[in-house]
């Protein structure tokens, strides 16, 4: 599982952008841990990226 900073770095976005996407249900599927931290499974990120790929 990826930590939020790792996801943001890979997508080259800010943390605030990620939270904005999450509020609009546009972010990759997330897991919220009991301590409030967010994690993203590598497979969920890969699937999300594939779903948002432009046909070139």
């Amino acid at each position: 599982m990826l930590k939020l900073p790792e996801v943001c770095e890979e997508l080259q976005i800010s943390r605030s952008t990620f939270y904005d996407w999450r509020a609009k249900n546009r972010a990759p599927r997330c897991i919220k841990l009991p301590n409030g931290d967010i994690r993203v499974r590598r497979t969920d990120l890969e699937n999300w990226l594939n779903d948002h790929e432009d046909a070139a």
Side-chain angles (χ1 to χ4, degrees), residues 11 26 44-56:
L11 296 176
R26 295 182 181 168
D44 288 336
L45 180 59
E46 295 292 335
N47 291 337
W48 182 85
L49 287 169
N50 288 336
D51 291 345
H52 290 84
E53 195 172 79
D54 276 341

Side-chain angles (χ1 to χ4, degrees), residues 1 4 7-9 13-14 17 21 23 26 29-30 33 41 52-54:
M1 288 196 285
L4 187 54
V7 174
C8 291
E9 182 179 330
I13 60 170
S14 68
T17 297
W21 288 0
R26 295 182 181 168
R29 218 170 91 175
C30 301
L33 300 178
R41 287 186 184 99
H52 290 84
E53 195 172 79
D54 276 341

Side-chain angles (χ1 to χ4, degrees), residues 2-45:
L2 301 168
K3 295 179 180 179
L4 187 54
E6 295 168 325
V7 174
C8 291
E9 182 179 330
E10 188 163 331
L11 296 176
Q12 297 181 351
I13 60 170
S14 68
R15 175 173 265 191
S16 62
T17 297
F18 184 86
Y19 281 118
D20 183 51
W21 288 0
R22 191 163 183 249
K24 295 175 181 174
N25 294 318
R26 295 182 181 168
R29 218 170 91 175
C30 301
I31 298 167
K32 189 170 186 177
L33 300 178
N35 66 358
D37 287 350
I38 293 175
R39 298 287 187 272
V40 176
R41 287 186 184 99
R42 168 59 65 186
T43 54
D44 288 336
L45 180 59

